[in-house]
Amino acid sequence: MKIAVGVDHGGFPLKDTVIDVLQSLGHSVLDLGTYSTESVDYPDFAAAVGRAVVSGEADRGIVICGSGVGACVAANKLHGVRACVCHDTYSAGQGVEHDDMNVLCLGARIIGPALATELVQAFVNATFQRDERFVRRLNKVLDLEEEGA
Ligand code: RB5
């Protein structure tokens, strides 16, 4: 898969780890910045990743800020993005399998590189399970998205 990765200054410390894991698993990375610890605004990077996913330029995205929260809130404002902060491996995989999560959000001030590695592995190794109940629930989420548009 092609994975878009975006971080703010708070997420920057985990960026190389995440990119290395993705590449070691054979995925290609669309690096959307930022490129240093200089202070920037997380919505800009959440938006860049979200737009890449929605447009199809990337298959999925990963956004990292200090907590993961701001990036998640911002990314979910985009039509077609299903982002969540997952700091446990069960959610990072099940979020894809049951909920078709397409953007993983991480907080570099909360977790370290070892857990980030496992979370990224769980996220990219999972695929949406097209069981009738999961598709039905996803369609209800998409209806909500239309209602709020
Ligand atoms: C940046 O200081 C910090 O607010 C940001 O990275 C993130 O944690 C927001 O949710």
Side-chain angles (χ1 to χ4, degrees):
M1 288 191 289
K2 188 171 197 177
I3 313 292
V5 175
V7 308
D8 75 353
H9 55 287
F12 185 76
L14 273 185
K15 185 182 177 189
D16 284 349
T17 297
V18 165
I19 289 176
D20 288 349
V21 179
L22 291 169
Q23 291 176 336
S24 74
L25 292 171
H27 300 287
S28 62
V29 172
L30 179 62
D31 181 351
L32 296 172
T34 190
Y35 304 102
S36 75
T37 53
E38 184 181 340
S39 184
V40 291
D41 298 332
Y42 65 79
D44 297 334
F45 300 91
V49 169
R51 287 178 183 131
V53 171
V54 170
S55 71
E57 185 181 8
D59 299 294
R60 293 187 198 167
I62 298 177
V63 190
I64 315 170
C65 65
S67 63
V69 173
C72 182
V73 170
N76 276 314
K77 296 299 177 190
L78 291 173
H79 201 93
V81 168
R82 289 176 294 282
C84 196
V85 182
C86 297
H87 286 160
D88 69 276
T89 54
Y90 178 79
S91 301
Q94 193 226 244
V96 176
E97 292 170 354
H98 291 198
D99 311 320
D100 205 17
M101 172 175 67
N102 53 16
V103 174
L104 174 67
C105 303
L106 302 176
R109 294 176 182 161
I110 313 297
I111 62 168
L115 179 53
T117 297
E118 294 190 13
L119 294 167
V120 169
Q121 288 169 340
F123 175 60
V124 296
N125 287 338
T127 54
F128 180 51
Q129 296 174 0
R130 297 197 158 273
D131 298 27
E132 190 276 334
R133 68 188 191 283
F134 298 144
V135 172
R136 183 181 70 238
R137 291 163 190 163
L138 175 61
N139 284 334
K140 290 187 178 186
V141 171
L142 298 179
D143 287 346
L144 288 171
E145 190 174 56
E146 287 304 320
E147 189 181 308

